[in-house]
Amino acid sequence: MDALEIPATTRTPQVSFDFPAHRLRLVGESYPEDVTRFYHPLFDALDAYLQDSPPHCRFDFELIYFNSSSAKAIMLLMDKLDQAALRGCQVDVYWFHDPEDDTMEELGVDFGEDLRAVNFRLERMVV
């Protein structure tokens, strides 16, 4: 499966889904005007990738801000990753946050608590 690369905009994160390397990343801010239109292709690509039962996958979330609609999309991404981990894929999720941003750290903790089979790591960004 080919990689999916989408450059960041002022309202959407950079998407770097390097499927051959099993390395997926979202970087930046997420508050698109139409969350469904932005995230739907990501969901489709992730579903197709996970359908092939990769042996392992790493997903880095390096978001500095997202709105509540994006939070729902992120929860859906996490759920897809958790389902893959329950099927036997080794999934590592890294939640990067600014060391001075308690809100993003707490959101990472909240997301991580909902995961049953993913290896979840909370990491501080190097600023």
Side-chain angles (χ1 to χ4, degrees):
M1 181 168 193
D2 293 332
L4 173 63
E5 298 286 338
I6 302 171
T9 69
T10 57
R11 300 180 65 92
T12 60
Q14 172 191 353
V15 177
S16 179
F17 286 4
D18 186 348
F19 295 119
H22 308 290
R23 190 81 189 260
L24 316 175
R25 293 177 68 212
L26 286 180
V27 180
E29 299 184 50
S30 181
Y31 54 102
E33 290 183 32
D34 186 343
V35 171
T36 302
R37 190 172 77 182
F38 178 77
Y39 278 97
H40 189 73
L42 278 62
F43 298 150
D44 288 347
L46 185 60
D47 286 343
Y49 167 69
L50 294 174
Q51 185 176 5
D52 290 339
S53 300
H56 60 85
C57 170
R58 175 175 169 156
F59 201 123
D60 293 345
F61 289 90
E62 300 176 40
L63 299 170
I64 56 174
Y65 173 79
F66 55 87
N67 63 6
S68 58
S69 297
S70 293
K72 291 176 185 176
I74 293 165
M75 286 181 359
L76 185 53
L77 288 171
M78 294 269 195
D79 185 56
K80 291 175 182 298
L81 294 167
D82 204 33
Q83 292 300 317
L86 288 167
R87 290 190 307 271
C89 177
Q90 178 188 329
V91 178
D92 299 308
V93 169
Y94 287 78
W95 184 271
F96 291 90
H97 65 91
D98 184 310
E100 296 181 16
D101 190 343
D102 294 338
T103 301
M104 287 303 284
E105 181 178 7
E106 290 170 15
L107 287 166
V109 169
D110 291 344
F111 281 120
E113 287 175 349
D114 291 337
L115 300 172
R116 297 170 288 165
V118 166
N119 300 316
F120 185 84
R121 303 231 1 188
L122 197 61
E123 297 286 333
R124 293 177 176 223
M125 287 181 186
V126 177
V127 265

